[in-house]
Amino acid sequence: MDATDLEYRARTRSGCIPRELVSRLLERGHADVVESQAGDGEWYCALAWARALGDEGREADALKALAPYVATGWWTAVVAAAELLEGWGRTDEAIDIIRTRMEAGHPMALEAYTRLLARHGRAEEAFELLVPHVDDWVLATALVDVAFVAGRDEEAAALLAGRIRGDHRCDGPWCCRGLDPDTALGLLATIRERQNHIDEAIALLRRRQITSINSRDQLADLLARHGQVEELRAYAALDGHEEAVQRLAEQLEEDGDLEGAIAVYGQGDGPAARDPNSAYELAQLLARHRRGTGAIAVMRAQADAHHSDDWILHALSELCLDQGRPADGLAHLDALDARRGGENEWELYWMRLPLIAACSGVDKAVGQARAHPEGNTWYAAEHIARLLADAARTEEAVTVLQPHEHRNSHDLAGYLIDLGRIDEALAVLQHPQPPTAAKTTTPLGPEEPPFSGPARF
């Protein structure tokens, strides 16, 4: 085995059995296949098999299953083995295995090592190890978490404060490659909040240039946690604070004020009218509270205003389907098709297929899909096969996908597994891959899920 090859296959999900199909094999009673493949270079099989052995108390066998992968030095395998050891109460061994990689210079090992130490009574030692690396934002975040356990919040706060340059303003996302001022302010605010210095934490967060990270707003979350709803309302009213709008609505919904939560989005002239993401959140809120008609109306208005944004059309179509109103979804898509002069690329066409199936049956939907100019492509085959499989016509789904097996290998293999045709499924998944010029070396977390679902912006 080779760490680079393991990383490449796991990252690209090519030439291997992906995680979800390993689960499918186990669910269908094929543990023997998972065990066999675990010893033949299939990482996700090895990981699942090791966990199963551990659950049975066969810890030595579990570690043996992972040993060849760990021996390559591949970080993902090292972390998985350490997590198993820690879960079994074998903390010293878990620490040793991570320390070995840290001493070898792995860039992610110090964070994992210090967090592990802190979880097991060695937070002081972990804190001292992190102090020299406070200029790295990942390790600075670990330092703040470890400081709480070690009782050294003030020292961490002083380190962070010393790195906040009041006269500096980043002019782009890569201006500060280490600990940028916004991140330092956010981390310092975290410390002040847990010290119950709420006003100081709020003041720090108000100094940040970038207010939202990973679709969450730290200041909005802080205000909500401490019941400062009116302050949150005023903050959400500022331009560009869509995440704060969402957090305010969430808080009001949690408090039982449904009408207040709906009003936050201001259907007529508020955020839901200006921002498709806010409109989507409003539609989801209405749907959760059995107001499907209003939810559909919200997304229909967005679809009319942004008819080239396929994620909005996808959301509208799914909403109509979930609300038992597929004909409404089809009517809107047909009207859009007419406005475009009948031109409808597959990217916008395929979402009508479940609606057609719900209205007129699967055969009608399949027939229309095949009649589309792109109906014989590999990407159309994926959607046609899903229609058939959802109707318990798995053999037909396989037939549709087989001419495109290299482009639809995961879907095809999944259906083959459902039919018990395991050898065929493995042959599809493990076909030789063409050589690539470059392979990624970004470490993969043992539970990192693949991207899925319509994009939102």
Side-chain angles (χ1 to χ4, degrees):
M1 293 182 190
D2 174 79
T4 301
D5 182 60
L6 286 168
E7 166 65 24
Y8 175 76
R9 287 194 289 149
R11 174 66 63 186
T12 62
R13 291 160 45 84
S14 62
C16 68
I17 308 174
R19 182 188 297 107
E20 69 275 10
L21 293 187
V22 173
S23 298
R24 208 150 166 175
L25 285 166
L26 292 172
E27 290 165 2
R28 304 293 189 273
H30 300 290
D32 58 327
V33 175
V34 174
E35 178 184 10
S36 173
Q37 294 296 315
D40 199 27
E42 287 289 350
W43 163 246
Y44 289 117
C45 286
L47 181 60
W49 186 240
R51 288 173 173 168
L53 292 170
D55 290 343
E56 296 175 3
R58 298 169 58 185
E59 296 175 6
D61 290 336
L63 292 176
K64 184 177 180 181
L66 294 184
Y69 302 87
V70 175
T72 68
W74 186 36
W75 178 243
T76 300
V78 171
V79 169
E83 287 177 349
L84 285 179
L85 288 164
E86 184 183 12
W88 300 333
R90 295 165 61 173
T91 305
D92 290 342
E93 293 173 77
I95 290 172
D96 285 344
I97 196 172
I98 297 294
R99 183 177 59 235
T100 298
R101 295 304 298 147
M102 183 179 70
E103 292 171 348
H106 194 283
M108 297 180 70
L110 178 58
E111 181 198 7
Y113 181 67
T114 51
R115 289 186 180 279
L116 182 56
L117 291 178
R119 288 197 297 272
H120 296 282
R122 297 169 62 179
E124 289 277 353
E125 179 183 349
F127 186 87
E128 293 296 342
L129 286 169
L130 288 167
V131 165
H133 305 280
V134 70
D135 288 317
D136 181 307
W137 72 268
V138 172
L139 298 178
T141 302
L143 176 76
V144 168
D145 294 338
V146 169
F148 177 66
V149 183
R152 299 178 68 173
D153 270 348
E154 279 305 324
E155 292 172 71
L159 288 168
L160 292 168
R163 283 157 177 80
I164 298 172
R165 295 162 52 192
D167 59 342
H168 178 73
R169 291 292 182 269
C170 290
D171 57 5
W174 306 113
C175 175
C176 295
R177 292 182 177 273
L179 181 64
D180 64 277
D182 275 3
T183 300
L185 285 165
L187 292 174
L188 183 53
T190 296
I191 293 175
R192 294 312 184 206
E193 182 188 2
R194 69 190 182 207
Q195 292 176 323
N196 207 32
H197 301 323
I198 308 304
D199 289 343
E200 184 179 350
I202 291 171
L204 287 165
L205 292 175
R206 289 192 184 280
R207 292 170 56 187
R208 298 199 309 175
Q209 287 182 278
I210 300 173
T211 60
S212 174
I213 299 175
N214 296 327
S215 298
R216 299 302 299 184
D217 186 307
Q218 187 178 351
L219 176 54
D221 288 339
L222 185 153
L223 292 170
R225 278 194 298 273
H226 294 278
Q228 299 191 25
V229 176
E230 292 310 311
E231 291 83 350
L232 175 56
R233 191 184 303 277
Y235 180 60
L238 300 175
D239 287 342
H241 286 190
E242 288 81 7
E243 287 78 11
V245 171
Q246 180 182 344
R247 187 64 188 92
L248 174 59
E250 290 171 353
Q251 187 62 47
L252 292 170
E253 183 184 11
E254 291 168 12
D255 293 342
D257 184 3
L258 175 59
E259 296 305 325
I262 293 171
V264 165
Y265 290 109
Q267 298 184 53
D269 58 357
R274 300 189 302 268
D275 174 43
N277 289 332
S278 291
Y280 176 83
E281 295 299 336
L282 172 58
Q284 295 299 304
L285 170 64
L286 292 167
R288 283 196 297 274
H289 294 275
R290 300 182 181 181
R291 299 192 183 187
T293 299
I296 290 172
V298 168
M299 290 312 299
R300 183 183 291 121
Q302 288 297 316
D304 286 336
H306 306 277
H307 50 76
S308 62
D309 288 351
D310 59 335
W311 80 262
I312 296 175
L313 294 173
H314 182 95
L316 173 60
S317 299
E318 283 196 338
L319 190 55
C320 289
L321 196 61
D322 291 343
Q323 295 298 318
R325 296 170 56 178
D328 290 349
L330 278 176
H332 186 89
L333 293 175
D334 287 342
L336 174 63
D337 189 21
R339 287 200 298 271
R340 291 176 171 175
E343 294 184 7
N344 207 339
E345 297 179 355
W346 185 264
E347 182 180 0
L348 295 176
Y349 183 83
W350 71 266
M351 64 187 69
R352 73 176 57 222
L353 298 179
L355 300 170
I356 296 171
C359 288
S360 307
V362 172
D363 288 331
K364 180 70 174 292
V366 169
Q368 291 200 14
R370 285 176 168 156
H372 190 276
E374 298 171 71
N376 292 321
T377 60
W378 68 269
Y379 45 86
E382 173 189 348
H383 296 111
I384 295 170
R386 187 177 305 140
L387 285 171
L388 293 165
D390 288 345
R393 294 162 62 174
T394 311
E395 290 279 5
E396 293 176 69
V398 166
T399 300
V400 168
L401 289 176
Q402 280 176 326
H404 313 279
E405 67 175 46
H406 293 309
R407 301 300 295 269
N408 291 296
S409 59
H410 292 175
D411 288 338
L412 175 57
Y415 297 141
L416 288 168
I417 290 170
D418 291 342
L419 294 170
R421 294 159 61 176
I422 307 303
D423 289 342
E424 293 176 68
L426 295 180
V428 168
L429 291 169
Q430 297 171 331
H431 61 78
Q433 296 296 303
T436 57
K439 296 183 179 182
T440 179
T441 56
T442 304
L444 178 75
E447 291 300 335
E448 183 175 329
F451 173 80
S452 62
R456 291 175 53 210
F457 301 95

